[in-house]
Amino acid sequence: MAKSGSLSIRVVEGRALPAKDVSGSSDPYCLVKVDDEVVARTATIWRSLSPFWGEEYTVHLPLDFHHLAFYVLDEDTVGHDDIIGKISLNKEAITADPRGIDSWINLSRVDPDAEVQGEVCLAVKLLEDARGRCLRCHVRQARDLAPRDISGTSDPFARVFWGSHSLETSTIKKTRFPHWDEVLELREAPGTTSPLRVELWDWDMVGKNDFLGMVEFTPQTLQQKPPNGWFRLLPFPRAEDSGGSLGALRLKVRLTEDRVLPSQYYQPLMELLLESVQGPAEEDTTSPLAVLEELASGDCRQDLATKLVKLFLGRGLAGPFLDYLTRREVARTKDPNTLFRSNSLASKSMEQFMKLVGMRYLHEILRPVISRVFEEKKYMELDPCKMDLNRSRRISFKGTPTEEQVRETSLGLLTGYLGSVVDAIVSSVGRCPLALRLAFKQLQRCVEKRFPGMAHQDVKYLAISGFLFLRFFAPAILTPKLFDLRDQHADPQTSRSLLLLAKAVQSIGNLGQQLGQGKEQWLAPLHPFLLQSISRVKDFLDQLVDVDEGEEAGGPACALVQPSTIVREGFLLKRKEEPAGLATRFAFKKRYFRLSGRDLSYSKTPEWQVHSSIPLSCIRAVERVDEGAFQLPHVMQVVTQDGAGASHTTYLQCKNVNDLNQWLSALRKASAPNPGKLAACHPGAFRSGRWTCCLQAERSAAGCSRTHSAVTLGDWSDPLDPDAEAQMVYRQLLLGRDQLRLKLLEDPSLGTAPEVDPGEDSSANDDGPCAEVLAQQRAATTRLLQVLEDLEQAHEEFQKRG
C-alpha cells in the first residue's frame, strides 16, 4: 500500500513588521521550509511593513514529514539580509483541525539554539553487574547538521549525559556529516534511574560553543526498548515569544495524508463514477458525482475538481464528465447572467481542465506579450487618482508631463500590448487543444438548448468566454508566476501594468456588457478598442467550436506530459564531476537546458542543435548541493547510472532559489517511475581526494544524506495517478455516508409503491413512475454504501498488516 501526503500552503500577508532600513521601512520576503529544506521563496514587497503576498504552493512530501517553518527576512542590496522573525508549525499543530490552519500567527525571534536540524545515529545498551548499572552509548554518526561556521560547515562533537556523569566524543572538523563511531560508557549507582540525553555541539576556538541539537530518552525507554537507529535532533525546550512585537503573518496551511490501496480495490468505485456520467444528469441525486457535488465546499472543492478531472482524463472520459456537470449546472440556472459565475464543482472542474490540458497553449499565446511587459517596464496609468507624474517624467523631454499626456501615452502603450494579446488569441484556433475545443462545443450546445432565442444570443458566447477569458487568460496575465509564465513576481509598476491589461481582457471576455458601469469610468478611453475587439472574439469563438466530434481520439490519456513535450527549459550553469586543472567557477559552463518527457538535453544556445542529453530512465537521484562544495549557491546534482552500472554526477547551478526548486521538482517528477532510486547521496562534491560533506576519502563511499525524491512542488504537469485520485474521491464520499443513510435508507417512503384502487387504471396513476424512480435511487444508494464499506474494510486490513 503506497503512502502519499501533500501540504497546501498560502502565504497571504503580514502586518506590523518592524522597520529594518534607515528609511523607517522594510523590504520583506518569506522563505518556506519543510523539514529544514527551502521549498519556496515569496516575492520581495518593497518598502512595506504590511506586505501582501497571496502566494500559494502545493508540496508533495513523504508521510514522515515533521515540521513547517516560515522565515520573514528584509532584503538588502548590500550585505546579508536581515532576519525579522519566524513561525514554526509542527505536524501535530497543522493536523489539530481537519480544515487546517487559517489565521494570523505572531512571529517569534530566531534563537540560534532553537535553529537545529538533522539526525544522529545511536545504539544504546543498558547493562548491569556487581558494581551497578552501565550504559554503553555507541555514537555512530550524524547527518544534515546546521552550519554554524562562516564556511558553511561545523566542527561537531557529541556530549552524553546520564545521571551525574557525562562524556564527550572527539571533534570532527569542517563537516555537517560527522562519523565518530565511538562507544562511551557511563556508570550509575545502584537503585537510581536517570534519563539519557545526547547533545551535539559545534566547537569554537574563540567564544562559546554553538548548540546543534539534542535527543533525550526516558528511563522506561532505556529499559524496554533501548534506542538503536536514527533520531531527529530537537532544540532545548523554551517558551515561545508570543508578544507580537515582531509582527504577524496570515497563513493558510492544510496537510493531506493518505494511504493508497492497490488498484483493484478502487475498481467498483471507478465503475460507479463512470456510470454516473453516462446516465441522466439533471435528475441524478444518488450517484457518487451527485453526492460529491453536494458535499464539496470551500478549499476542498478545487482539490476535488482537479482529482476528478485527472481521473476521467486518464480514462478518456473528461468530455462526458464535464458535460454531466455542465448539464446539471445549466438546469439549475434561471438567470443566464449568473451562469457559471459561482465557484461550483462544474466551474472549478472546467477551470482545472483548462489548466491541465491547455497550459502549453496558454504559454504560446501569452508569453511573448508578458515578456515584453516585464522587459520594457513602461509606465502606464489611466486612473488619475493613481497617476504619478514624477515617475512618468521620462516619457516627455519638456519637463513634467500633464495628466493628459500621460493618459495618451499610456493608452497607446496599453492598446499596443492589448492588440498583441487579441491578435494572438483570435489566430490561435488551430493551436487550441482538441479536447478543449470539444469541451467548449458541448458547453455551447447545452447553453443554447437551455436559453434559446434571440434574446439570449450572446449567452452561448459568454459561457465560453467566461471560462477562457475570465478564468484562464485574465488570471494568467494578472499573476504570470502562478501560471509558469515567469520565474518571479512582478515589481509594483509592472504589476499595475499587468492589472490594466487583465482588466481590458476581462472586459473583452464579458463582451463589453459592463462597459461604462461601475466606478472605473477612467477606462472610458479604452472602450472603442475593446468594442472593436469583441466582434473579432465572437468570430474566434465560432471557429473554436467548429470542430467535428469524430476527430476525438477517445482513448485514455497515459500522461498529461507527452514524451516530446518540453516541461521546463532555460539557461543553467553545468559542471561535470571533477574537471582537472580548472578553478571551480570556471568549470561551470552556461548551457540551455530542455526537460521533456524523454530526456534532459542541453546545447550552447536555444537555437543550436542539441549537444548532448541525459535519458530520464538513467536518473537515480536529483538533490541539492551544499554551498560549501563549490562556494556557489543554488546548485543541484543529477546522479545517473550507465548501462555498466557506473554512477555519474552532473552539477547544475540555477539562477535563484525558486528556479532551483522548480528544476528539482520537475526532474524528480519526470524520473519518479525509475527503478533503483538512491536512498542516500552526498550533498557535497568529491574534491581533492575526499567528499566535502562527510570527509570520506573513497569516491564510492555510501551517501551521507537522505535523498528527497518524494518532495516536489504540485503544478499542472503532475503525472496522472488514478489510485491516489480515487482515494481522495473515496475520502470525500465517506464524509457524506451518514447523510446518505439518513436521506434515503431511513426514509420509509422510499422504494414503497403507493396504494392503488383495484378499480383504477394503474397506468394512469402518476405515482407509479415516481415509486420506480425512488426504488432505483434506493438501489443505487445501497450499492454506493456497500462500495464505501468494502473500501473501509480494506483500509483496516492493510493497517493491521502494517
Side-chain angles (χ1 to χ4, degrees), residues 50-71:
S50 298
F52 179 84
W53 290 289
E55 298 194 22
E56 297 183 28
Y57 311 96
T58 298
V59 185
H60 303 302
L61 36 73
L63 290 185
D64 59 355
F65 154 75
H66 290 90
H67 75 275
L68 172 69
F70 301 85
Y71 290 80

Side-chain angles (χ1 to χ4, degrees), residues 91 115 137 140 152 219 229 237 384 386 469 476 481 566 684 744 792:
K91 186 176 181 179
E115 296 300 296
C137 182
R140 291 171 174 163
K386 298 189 176 185
F469 282 77
K481 182 177 182 292
I566 303 298
L744 295 172
E792 190 174 37

Side-chain angles (χ1 to χ4, degrees), residues 454-472:
M454 292 297 295
H456 303 303
Q457 60 179 341
D458 280 345
V459 177
K460 65 178 183 179
Y461 296 116
L462 286 167
I464 301 174
S465 64
F467 283 114
L468 194 58
F469 282 77
L470 274 61
R471 293 178 180 257
F472 201 38

Side-chain angles (χ1 to χ4, degrees), residues 182 267 290 297 314 344 365 401 405 435 545 613 660 726 733:
E182 297 182 23
Q267 194 57 38
S297 62
S344 63
I365 301 302
Q405 288 174 318
V545 298
S613 64
L660 171 63
L733 288 169

Side-chain angles (χ1 to χ4, degrees), residues 306 309-310 313 352-359 560 716:
T306 304
V309 169
K310 284 189 169 185
L313 196 61
Q352 296 307 308
F353 178 71
M354 289 190 297
K355 290 181 180 178
L356 292 168
V357 174
M359 193 64 81
L560 294 174
W716 64 274

Side-chain angles (χ1 to χ4, degrees), residues 738-782:
D738 293 339
Q739 183 179 340
L740 274 175
R741 287 171 175 164
L742 291 171
K743 183 178 179 181
L744 295 172
L745 297 183
E746 296 181 6
D747 189 338
S749 67
L750 293 180
T752 304
E755 294 184 5
V756 180
D757 191 310
E760 187 178 359
D761 184 3
S762 60
S763 62
N765 194 321
D766 291 338
D767 291 336
C770 181
E772 183 180 350
V773 170
L774 292 174
Q776 291 174 353
Q777 289 178 346
R778 182 167 186 169
T781 305
T782 303

Side-chain angles (χ1 to χ4, degrees), residues 360-422:
R360 275 298 142 197
Y361 167 65
L362 177 84
H363 287 183
E364 291 178 12
I365 301 302
L366 295 183
R367 178 166 279 157
V369 181
I370 297 297
S371 298
R372 277 180 53 204
V373 175
F374 269 79
E375 291 162 7
E376 293 176 1
K377 295 187 181 297
K378 301 284 188 179
Y379 179 80
M380 294 188 296
E381 187 54 74
L382 297 178
D383 185 356
C385 297
K386 298 189 176 185
M387 207 170 280
D388 186 348
L389 300 181
N390 291 325
R391 177 178 288 185
S392 57
R393 182 176 297 173
R394 61 185 177 183
I395 69 175
S396 173
F397 294 100
K398 300 178 180 179
T400 303
T402 63
E403 279 191 13
E404 185 61 31
Q405 288 174 318
V406 174
R407 187 179 297 107
E408 289 180 6
T409 305
S410 299
L411 184 62
L413 291 169
L414 188 56
T415 53
Y417 291 130
L418 186 58
S420 298
V421 171
V422 174

Side-chain angles (χ1 to χ4, degrees), residues 118-140:
E119 299 171 302
V120 63
C121 186
L122 304 170
V124 178
K125 290 184 179 179
L126 197 59
L127 309 174
E128 196 161 352
D129 54 25
R131 294 187 298 164
R133 289 185 173 187
C134 173
L135 183 140
R136 183 173 296 165
C137 182
H138 185 183
V139 184
R140 291 171 174 163

